[in-house]
Amino acid sequence: MFMNNWRAALGKSGEDLVRRVLQSKHDLVEETVWYDSQKDGVVDSKQYEVKTLMENYAHRAFILGSSQWTKCENVDRLFFVRIPEVEAPIRIYECPKSYRQPTHIFMNGDNCRIFRLTKLNLYDTIHDEKLGEYWRSLTKTKYMRNKS
C-alpha cells in the first residue's frame, strides 16, 4: 500500500504537525488510524486530509497525482504542508472547497491536478529548521532548490 518508506515518513510527519497545530487552535481533534483511505483526522466533527509536498516552482503550486483525487475531494478540510527550502519556514495551507477541482496537467505519465499557492489560504507558519532539514533529507527529488 505504501509506495516508499520515505513518502510514508514524510506523510506521517506532516499529519502529526497539522494535528498539533489543529489541537492548539480547536477544542476537539480526533485522531484516526495512521492509514485511513477516507481521511487523516477529524476536527470539530469535520474530516480533514493532509498532503506534505514540495512546491512545484515552475507552476508555483502543489501537484497531486490521480490516485489522491477522490480522498482530497471528499474531506471537509484539505491541508497542504510545504516542505521548506533551507532556512525557510514550514507553511501550512488550506485549500478552499471551491477550489478542489483545479487545473489539470499531464506529468510523469499521470493526469495530475495543480493546486496553485495563490488559490490556497495560508493557515499557519512554523519555524522549525530541524523538522525542515529532516524532511529535506527524506525527499528524493533532485528538483528542490537549496536542498542543503
Side-chain angles (χ1 to χ4, degrees), residues 2-38:
F2 298 108
M3 295 175 73
N4 298 343
N5 286 340
W6 66 270
R7 287 186 182 170
L10 273 171
K12 174 88 170 78
S13 185
E15 290 170 23
D16 290 345
L17 177 65
V18 169
R19 185 173 296 110
R20 286 193 308 272
V21 169
L22 289 171
Q23 286 171 336
S24 73
K25 295 182 178 204
H26 296 271
D27 291 332
L28 178 63
V29 177
E30 300 171 27
E31 295 196 30
T32 186
V33 293
W34 184 76
Y35 182 79
D36 183 320
S37 63
Q38 295 181 330

mmCIF file of all heavy atoms in Angstrom, residues 2-38:
data_model
loop_
_atom_site.group_PDB
_atom_site.id
_atom_site.type_symbol
_atom_site.label_atom_id
_atom_site.label_comp_id
_atom_site.label_asym_id
_atom_site.label_seq_id
_atom_site.Cartn_x
_atom_site.Cartn_y
_atom_site.Cartn_z
ATOM 1 N N PHE A 2 1.978 1.232 0.725
ATOM 2 C CA PHE A 2 2.844 2.410 0.760
ATOM 3 C C PHE A 2 3.837 2.333 -0.378
ATOM 4 O O PHE A 2 4.482 1.318 -0.572
ATOM 5 C CB PHE A 2 3.580 2.500 2.095
ATOM 6 C CG PHE A 2 2.638 2.640 3.242
ATOM 7 C CD1 PHE A 2 2.427 1.600 4.109
ATOM 8 C CD2 PHE A 2 1.946 3.819 3.435
ATOM 9 C CE1 PHE A 2 1.540 1.719 5.153
ATOM 10 C CE2 PHE A 2 1.061 3.956 4.481
ATOM 11 C CZ PHE A 2 0.857 2.903 5.348
ATOM 12 N N MET A 3 3.960 3.436 -1.123
ATOM 13 C CA MET A 3 4.832 3.450 -2.284
ATOM 14 C C MET A 3 6.299 3.354 -1.863
ATOM 15 O O MET A 3 7.045 2.582 -2.399
ATOM 16 C CB MET A 3 4.585 4.700 -3.107
ATOM 17 C CG MET A 3 3.186 4.731 -3.694
ATOM 18 S SD MET A 3 2.851 6.248 -4.543
ATOM 19 C CE MET A 3 3.850 6.025 -5.989
ATOM 20 N N ASN A 4 6.723 4.143 -0.922
ATOM 21 C CA ASN A 4 8.107 4.166 -0.457
ATOM 22 C C ASN A 4 8.107 4.533 1.014
ATOM 23 O O ASN A 4 7.260 5.284 1.470
ATOM 24 C CB ASN A 4 8.921 5.213 -1.215
ATOM 25 C CG ASN A 4 9.012 4.932 -2.694
ATOM 26 O OD1 ASN A 4 8.748 3.843 -3.141
ATOM 27 N ND2 ASN A 4 9.390 5.937 -3.458
ATOM 28 N N ASN A 5 9.088 4.038 1.738
ATOM 29 C CA ASN A 5 9.171 4.378 3.151
ATOM 30 C C ASN A 5 9.369 5.868 3.367
ATOM 31 O O ASN A 5 8.857 6.430 4.324
ATOM 32 C CB ASN A 5 10.299 3.588 3.820
ATOM 33 C CG ASN A 5 9.930 2.129 4.012
ATOM 34 O OD1 ASN A 5 8.757 1.778 3.995
ATOM 35 N ND2 ASN A 5 10.924 1.287 4.180
ATOM 36 N N TRP A 6 10.152 6.533 2.503
ATOM 37 C CA TRP A 6 10.386 7.970 2.672
ATOM 38 C C TRP A 6 9.104 8.757 2.476
ATOM 39 O O TRP A 6 8.870 9.735 3.174
ATOM 40 C CB TRP A 6 11.517 8.470 1.773
ATOM 41 C CG TRP A 6 11.261 8.428 0.291
ATOM 42 C CD1 TRP A 6 11.539 7.404 -0.569
ATOM 43 C CD2 TRP A 6 10.698 9.467 -0.503
ATOM 44 N NE1 TRP A 6 11.167 7.744 -1.850
ATOM 45 C CE2 TRP A 6 10.665 9.005 -1.836
ATOM 46 C CE3 TRP A 6 10.227 10.751 -0.222
ATOM 47 C CZ2 TRP A 6 10.163 9.775 -2.885
ATOM 48 C CZ3 TRP A 6 9.735 11.515 -1.271
ATOM 49 C CH2 TRP A 6 9.705 11.025 -2.585
ATOM 50 N N ARG A 7 8.249 8.336 1.559
ATOM 51 C CA ARG A 7 6.965 9.029 1.367
ATOM 52 C C ARG A 7 6.052 8.823 2.567
ATOM 53 O O ARG A 7 5.367 9.748 2.998
ATOM 54 C CB ARG A 7 6.277 8.542 0.096
ATOM 55 C CG ARG A 7 6.935 9.057 -1.141
ATOM 56 C CD ARG A 7 6.175 8.685 -2.374
ATOM 57 N NE ARG A 7 6.899 9.182 -3.532
ATOM 58 C CZ ARG A 7 6.618 8.867 -4.761
ATOM 59 N NH1 ARG A 7 5.627 8.048 -5.037
ATOM 60 N NH2 ARG A 7 7.323 9.359 -5.756
ATOM 61 N N ALA A 8 6.042 7.614 3.093
ATOM 62 C CA ALA A 8 5.221 7.334 4.274
ATOM 63 C C ALA A 8 5.705 8.163 5.464
ATOM 64 O O ALA A 8 4.896 8.723 6.209
ATOM 65 C CB ALA A 8 5.255 5.843 4.596
ATOM 66 N N ALA A 9 7.025 8.261 5.632
ATOM 67 C CA ALA A 9 7.579 9.037 6.746
ATOM 68 C C ALA A 9 7.254 10.519 6.604
ATOM 69 O O ALA A 9 6.883 11.174 7.583
ATOM 70 C CB ALA A 9 9.096 8.830 6.828
ATOM 71 N N LEU A 10 7.370 11.062 5.385
ATOM 72 C CA LEU A 10 7.006 12.460 5.154
ATOM 73 C C LEU A 10 5.527 12.700 5.449
ATOM 74 O O LEU A 10 5.160 13.666 6.112
ATOM 75 C CB LEU A 10 7.284 12.861 3.702
ATOM 76 C CG LEU A 10 8.662 13.361 3.373
ATOM 77 C CD1 LEU A 10 8.827 13.495 1.867
ATOM 78 C CD2 LEU A 10 8.937 14.679 4.054
ATOM 79 N N GLY A 11 4.681 11.821 4.931
ATOM 80 C CA GLY A 11 3.239 11.967 5.134
ATOM 81 C C GLY A 11 2.854 11.920 6.597
ATOM 82 O O GLY A 11 2.099 12.763 7.084
ATOM 83 N N LYS A 12 3.395 10.957 7.315
ATOM 84 C CA LYS A 12 3.082 10.822 8.746
ATOM 85 C C LYS A 12 3.562 12.035 9.523
ATOM 86 O O LYS A 12 2.854 12.568 10.385
ATOM 87 C CB LYS A 12 3.739 9.553 9.293
ATOM 88 C CG LYS A 12 3.605 9.363 10.786
ATOM 89 C CD LYS A 12 2.350 8.626 11.146
ATOM 90 C CE LYS A 12 2.291 8.209 12.597
ATOM 91 N NZ LYS A 12 1.937 9.276 13.501
ATOM 92 N N SER A 13 4.751 12.523 9.215
ATOM 93 C CA SER A 13 5.304 13.676 9.913
ATOM 94 C C SER A 13 4.472 14.936 9.644
ATOM 95 O O SER A 13 4.204 15.722 10.551
ATOM 96 C CB SER A 13 6.756 13.879 9.485
ATOM 97 O OG SER A 13 7.351 14.903 10.212
ATOM 98 N N GLY A 14 4.040 15.126 8.400
ATOM 99 C CA GLY A 14 3.183 16.271 8.064
ATOM 100 C C GLY A 14 1.831 16.186 8.759
ATOM 101 O O GLY A 14 1.312 17.188 9.264
ATOM 102 N N GLU A 15 1.268 14.990 8.808
ATOM 103 C CA GLU A 15 -0.007 14.801 9.511
ATOM 104 C C GLU A 15 0.139 15.101 11.000
ATOM 105 O O GLU A 15 -0.736 15.739 11.592
ATOM 106 C CB GLU A 15 -0.503 13.362 9.325
ATOM 107 C CG GLU A 15 -0.962 13.052 7.928
ATOM 108 C CD GLU A 15 -1.207 11.571 7.709
ATOM 109 O OE1 GLU A 15 -1.445 10.845 8.700
ATOM 110 O OE2 GLU A 15 -1.155 11.146 6.548
ATOM 111 N N ASP A 16 1.233 14.648 11.596
ATOM 112 C CA ASP A 16 1.469 14.907 13.021
ATOM 113 C C ASP A 16 1.579 16.412 13.285
ATOM 114 O O ASP A 16 1.037 16.915 14.273
ATOM 115 C CB ASP A 16 2.736 14.204 13.499
ATOM 116 C CG ASP A 16 2.592 12.691 13.555
ATOM 117 O OD1 ASP A 16 1.447 12.183 13.497
ATOM 118 O OD2 ASP A 16 3.639 12.012 13.645
ATOM 119 N N LEU A 17 2.285 17.126 12.396
ATOM 120 C CA LEU A 17 2.427 18.574 12.557
ATOM 121 C C LEU A 17 1.068 19.265 12.468
ATOM 122 O O LEU A 17 0.731 20.094 13.320
ATOM 123 C CB LEU A 17 3.374 19.137 11.494
ATOM 124 C CG LEU A 17 3.540 20.657 11.527
ATOM 125 C CD1 LEU A 17 4.198 21.108 12.823
ATOM 126 C CD2 LEU A 17 4.346 21.119 10.313
ATOM 127 N N VAL A 18 0.273 18.926 11.474
ATOM 128 C CA VAL A 18 -1.049 19.551 11.320
ATOM 129 C C VAL A 18 -1.936 19.205 12.511
ATOM 130 O O VAL A 18 -2.644 20.067 13.034
ATOM 131 C CB VAL A 18 -1.707 19.148 9.982
ATOM 132 C CG1 VAL A 18 -3.165 19.573 9.935
ATOM 133 C CG2 VAL A 18 -0.937 19.764 8.815
ATOM 134 N N ARG A 19 -1.868 17.977 12.979
ATOM 135 C CA ARG A 19 -2.671 17.582 14.150
ATOM 136 C C ARG A 19 -2.311 18.447 15.359
ATOM 137 O O ARG A 19 -3.184 18.938 16.069
ATOM 138 C CB ARG A 19 -2.466 16.103 14.457
ATOM 139 C CG ARG A 19 -3.368 15.590 15.582
ATOM 140 C CD ARG A 19 -3.279 14.085 15.767
ATOM 141 N NE ARG A 19 -3.759 13.395 14.579
ATOM 142 C CZ ARG A 19 -2.989 12.708 13.733
ATOM 143 N NH1 ARG A 19 -1.699 12.580 13.950
ATOM 144 N NH2 ARG A 19 -3.502 12.120 12.666
ATOM 145 N N ARG A 20 -1.004 18.679 15.595
ATOM 146 C CA ARG A 20 -0.573 19.525 16.724
ATOM 147 C C ARG A 20 -1.070 20.965 16.553
ATOM 148 O O ARG A 20 -1.525 21.590 17.516
ATOM 149 C CB ARG A 20 0.946 19.502 16.861
ATOM 150 C CG ARG A 20 1.485 18.214 17.436
ATOM 151 C CD ARG A 20 2.945 18.315 17.859
ATOM 152 N NE ARG A 20 3.850 18.835 16.848
ATOM 153 C CZ ARG A 20 4.473 18.106 15.919
ATOM 154 N NH1 ARG A 20 4.261 16.797 15.865
ATOM 155 N NH2 ARG A 20 5.301 18.671 15.061
ATOM 156 N N VAL A 21 -0.987 21.484 15.344
ATOM 157 C CA VAL A 21 -1.456 22.852 15.083
ATOM 158 C C VAL A 21 -2.963 22.942 15.303
ATOM 159 O O VAL A 21 -3.454 23.874 15.949
ATOM 160 C CB VAL A 21 -1.071 23.306 13.652
ATOM 161 C CG1 VAL A 21 -1.777 24.593 13.269
ATOM 162 C CG2 VAL A 21 0.439 23.474 13.542
ATOM 163 N N LEU A 22 -3.707 21.967 14.798
ATOM 164 C CA LEU A 22 -5.158 21.966 14.987
ATOM 165 C C LEU A 22 -5.517 21.849 16.473
ATOM 166 O O LEU A 22 -6.444 22.504 16.948
ATOM 167 C CB LEU A 22 -5.804 20.831 14.192
ATOM 168 C CG LEU A 22 -5.821 21.001 12.676
ATOM 169 C CD1 LEU A 22 -6.281 19.716 12.000
ATOM 170 C CD2 LEU A 22 -6.704 22.168 12.265
ATOM 171 N N GLN A 23 -4.789 21.016 17.206
ATOM 172 C CA GLN A 23 -5.066 20.865 18.636
ATOM 173 C C GLN A 23 -4.835 22.169 19.389
ATOM 174 O O GLN A 23 -5.517 22.449 20.365
ATOM 175 C CB GLN A 23 -4.214 19.747 19.229
ATOM 176 C CG GLN A 23 -4.695 18.371 18.835
ATOM 177 C CD GLN A 23 -3.752 17.255 19.233
ATOM 178 O OE1 GLN A 23 -2.554 17.451 19.406
ATOM 179 N NE2 GLN A 23 -4.303 16.053 19.365
ATOM 180 N N SER A 24 -3.901 22.985 18.916
ATOM 181 C CA SER A 24 -3.646 24.260 19.589
ATOM 182 C C SER A 24 -4.717 25.305 19.267
ATOM 183 O O SER A 24 -4.865 26.277 19.991
ATOM 184 C CB SER A 24 -2.265 24.795 19.200
ATOM 185 O OG SER A 24 -2.269 25.278 17.873
ATOM 186 N N LYS A 25 -5.490 25.086 18.205
ATOM 187 C CA LYS A 25 -6.481 26.073 17.768
ATOM 188 C C LYS A 25 -7.931 25.633 17.978
ATOM 189 O O LYS A 25 -8.834 26.442 17.839
ATOM 190 C CB LYS A 25 -6.290 26.386 16.280
ATOM 191 C CG LYS A 25 -4.971 27.052 15.966
ATOM 192 C CD LYS A 25 -4.853 27.372 14.498
ATOM 193 C CE LYS A 25 -3.533 28.072 14.238
ATOM 194 N NZ LYS A 25 -3.546 28.882 13.054
ATOM 195 N N HIS A 26 -8.153 24.361 18.280
ATOM 196 C CA HIS A 26 -9.510 23.829 18.401
ATOM 197 C C HIS A 26 -9.653 23.034 19.687
ATOM 198 O O HIS A 26 -8.681 22.512 20.223
ATOM 199 C CB HIS A 26 -9.845 22.932 17.202
ATOM 200 C CG HIS A 26 -9.858 23.663 15.901
ATOM 201 N ND1 HIS A 26 -10.980 24.276 15.407
ATOM 202 C CD2 HIS A 26 -8.873 23.905 15.001
ATOM 203 C CE1 HIS A 26 -10.690 24.853 14.257
ATOM 204 N NE2 HIS A 26 -9.415 24.646 13.977
ATOM 205 N N ASP A 27 -10.873 22.901 20.121
ATOM 206 C CA ASP A 27 -11.145 22.146 21.337
ATOM 207 C C ASP A 27 -11.039 20.642 21.130
ATOM 208 O O ASP A 27 -10.636 19.919 22.027
ATOM 209 C CB ASP A 27 -12.557 22.465 21.861
ATOM 210 C CG ASP A 27 -12.650 23.884 22.375
ATOM 211 O OD1 ASP A 27 -11.625 24.425 22.814
ATOM 212 O OD2 ASP A 27 -13.750 24.456 22.333
ATOM 213 N N LEU A 28 -11.428 20.166 19.953
ATOM 214 C CA LEU A 28 -11.517 18.727 19.758
ATOM 215 C C LEU A 28 -10.903 18.317 18.431
ATOM 216 O O LEU A 28 -11.349 18.736 17.369
ATOM 217 C CB LEU A 28 -12.992 18.285 19.791
ATOM 218 C CG LEU A 28 -13.259 16.806 19.565
ATOM 219 C CD1 LEU A 28 -12.626 15.975 20.669
ATOM 220 C CD2 LEU A 28 -14.753 16.552 19.521
ATOM 221 N N VAL A 29 -9.864 17.528 18.510
ATOM 222 C CA VAL A 29 -9.260 16.928 17.321
ATOM 223 C C VAL A 29 -9.212 15.434 17.582
ATOM 224 O O VAL A 29 -8.561 14.981 18.517
ATOM 225 C CB VAL A 29 -7.838 17.459 17.045
ATOM 226 C CG1 VAL A 29 -7.233 16.753 15.843
ATOM 227 C CG2 VAL A 29 -7.860 18.964 16.833
ATOM 228 N N GLU A 30 -9.951 14.676 16.787
ATOM 229 C CA GLU A 30 -9.970 13.223 16.928
ATOM 230 C C GLU A 30 -8.883 12.632 16.059
ATOM 231 O O GLU A 30 -8.724 13.015 14.907
ATOM 232 C CB GLU A 30 -11.325 12.663 16.485
ATOM 233 C CG GLU A 30 -12.501 13.193 17.269
ATOM 234 C CD GLU A 30 -13.820 12.788 16.652
ATOM 235 O OE1 GLU A 30 -13.878 11.748 15.975
ATOM 236 O OE2 GLU A 30 -14.793 13.525 16.857
ATOM 237 N N GLU A 31 -8.133 11.704 16.619
ATOM 238 C CA GLU A 31 -7.118 11.025 15.832
ATOM 239 C C GLU A 31 -7.750 9.835 15.143
ATOM 240 O O GLU A 31 -8.749 9.289 15.585
ATOM 241 C CB GLU A 31 -5.973 10.589 16.735
ATOM 242 C CG GLU A 31 -5.248 11.788 17.317
ATOM 243 C CD GLU A 31 -3.906 11.418 17.891
ATOM 244 O OE1 GLU A 31 -3.282 10.470 17.387
ATOM 245 O OE2 GLU A 31 -3.504 12.089 18.838
ATOM 246 N N THR A 32 -7.152 9.437 14.056
ATOM 247 C CA THR A 32 -7.621 8.283 13.310
ATOM 248 C C THR A 32 -6.457 7.306 13.191
ATOM 249 O O THR A 32 -5.335 7.642 13.550
ATOM 250 C CB THR A 32 -8.154 8.712 11.925
ATOM 251 O OG1 THR A 32 -8.733 7.588 11.280
ATOM 252 C CG2 THR A 32 -7.085 9.302 11.038
ATOM 253 N N VAL A 33 -6.725 6.125 12.692
ATOM 254 C CA VAL A 33 -5.615 5.203 12.452
ATOM 255 C C VAL A 33 -4.699 5.844 11.429
ATOM 256 O O VAL A 33 -5.148 6.635 10.606
ATOM 257 C CB VAL A 33 -6.133 3.830 11.948
ATOM 258 C CG1 VAL A 33 -6.916 3.130 13.030
ATOM 259 C CG2 VAL A 33 -6.950 3.967 10.695
ATOM 260 N N TRP A 34 -3.398 5.510 11.463
ATOM 261 C CA TRP A 34 -2.471 6.246 10.619
ATOM 262 C C TRP A 34 -2.857 6.168 9.156
ATOM 263 O O TRP A 34 -2.911 7.171 8.481
ATOM 264 C CB TRP A 34 -1.025 5.784 10.797
ATOM 265 C CG TRP A 34 -0.176 6.670 9.967
ATOM 266 C CD1 TRP A 34 0.180 7.950 10.254
ATOM 267 C CD2 TRP A 34 0.354 6.406 8.681
ATOM 268 N NE1 TRP A 34 0.901 8.496 9.224
ATOM 269 C CE2 TRP A 34 1.015 7.562 8.245
ATOM 270 C CE3 TRP A 34 0.322 5.307 7.838
ATOM 271 C CZ2 TRP A 34 1.666 7.654 7.026
ATOM 272 C CZ3 TRP A 34 0.960 5.394 6.617
ATOM 273 C CH2 TRP A 34 1.631 6.562 6.230
ATOM 274 N N TYR A 35 -3.161 5.003 8.626
ATOM 275 C CA TYR A 35 -3.577 4.952 7.227
ATOM 276 C C TYR A 35 -5.069 4.723 7.170
ATOM 277 O O TYR A 35 -5.563 3.680 7.531
ATOM 278 C CB TYR A 35 -2.851 3.877 6.418
ATOM 279 C CG TYR A 35 -3.302 3.942 4.986
ATOM 280 C CD1 TYR A 35 -2.797 4.911 4.129
ATOM 281 C CD2 TYR A 35 -4.307 3.118 4.516
ATOM 282 C CE1 TYR A 35 -3.244 5.033 2.839
ATOM 283 C CE2 TYR A 35 -4.763 3.230 3.225
ATOM 284 C CZ TYR A 35 -4.229 4.189 2.393
ATOM 285 O OH TYR A 35 -4.695 4.317 1.122
ATOM 286 N N ASP A 36 -5.783 5.723 6.729
ATOM 287 C CA ASP A 36 -7.233 5.672 6.579
ATOM 288 C C ASP A 36 -7.516 6.108 5.147
ATOM 289 O O ASP A 36 -7.067 7.171 4.726
ATOM 290 C CB ASP A 36 -7.876 6.640 7.586
ATOM 291 C CG ASP A 36 -9.400 6.599 7.551
ATOM 292 O OD1 ASP A 36 -9.976 6.501 6.459
ATOM 293 O OD2 ASP A 36 -10.013 6.693 8.618
ATOM 294 N N SER A 37 -8.237 5.312 4.414
ATOM 295 C CA SER A 37 -8.471 5.619 2.997
ATOM 296 C C SER A 37 -9.418 6.792 2.778
ATOM 297 O O SER A 37 -9.569 7.264 1.658
ATOM 298 C CB SER A 37 -9.012 4.384 2.274
ATOM 299 O OG SER A 37 -10.268 4.025 2.825
ATOM 300 N N GLN A 38 -10.060 7.288 3.834
ATOM 301 C CA GLN A 38 -11.016 8.382 3.682
ATOM 302 C C GLN A 38 -10.533 9.708 4.248
ATOM 303 O O GLN A 38 -10.965 10.758 3.787
ATOM 304 C CB GLN A 38 -12.342 8.016 4.332
ATOM 305 C CG GLN A 38 -13.029 6.860 3.643
ATOM 306 C CD GLN A 38 -14.352 6.533 4.299
ATOM 307 O OE1 GLN A 38 -14.545 6.722 5.492
ATOM 308 N NE2 GLN A 38 -15.281 6.044 3.493
#
